[in-house]
Amino acid sequence: MLINVANVLAGLIGAGIIFVGARAFWAPRAAVDFGIPGTPTEDRNFQAWLTVKAVRDIASGVFLFILLAGATSHLLGWFMLAATGIPVGDALIVRRSNGPKAAVYGIHGGTAVVMLAISVLLLVA
């Protein structure tokens, strides 16, 4: 039962990160939600960087779905544990940039906690 819950949650994380990446293509202004004040969403150089990030976000979500489809729960758990570093890093970036605490702790920190919990469920089950 715990494996099924963890797999569903991992799938939601994968779908969420694919959505975040895809949204950067059709709504670059959404990058402001990342939490860095003064994000220059109209700047072409920033938009180029955002496109690179979007492709990586989409690929990360696809990696999760590949592992969900063909890997063991244990391997998925290790992947999720390693990937937990992404939202932790994002939280540190937003914090260092004097971004809103809601983005630091609520968005990025919350995502990291959920991913860590999923990892534990997958690794101990």
Side-chain angles (χ1 to χ4, degrees):
M1 176 68 177
L2 286 180
I3 293 290
N4 291 338
V5 169
N7 283 340
V8 168
L9 292 173
L12 290 173
I13 293 287
I17 197 64
I18 288 170
F19 174 77
V20 167
R23 191 169 82 159
F25 286 115
W26 81 74
R29 291 269 316 134
V32 173
D33 294 340
F34 186 82
I36 297 175
T39 301
T41 56
E42 304 307 320
D43 181 274
R44 293 184 59 78
N45 290 328
F46 176 78
Q47 288 180 358
W49 173 86
L50 186 60
T51 301
V52 170
K53 182 190 174 310
V55 169
R56 283 169 172 71
D57 284 347
I58 292 168
S60 294
V62 171
F63 293 155
L64 270 171
F65 284 112
I66 291 168
L67 289 170
L68 274 167
T72 65
S73 297
H74 199 74
L75 180 60
L76 178 59
W78 282 114
F79 178 85
M80 290 291 293
L81 183 61
T84 299
I86 296 169
V88 168
D90 291 347
L92 293 172
I93 290 165
V94 173
R95 183 73 182 122
R96 185 182 67 200
S97 301
N98 295 318
K101 289 185 174 153
V104 173
Y105 301 110
I107 298 169
H108 303 298
T111 301
V113 168
V114 169
M115 289 177 68
L116 181 61
I118 294 168
S119 301
V120 169
L121 287 174
L122 291 165
L123 290 170
V124 299

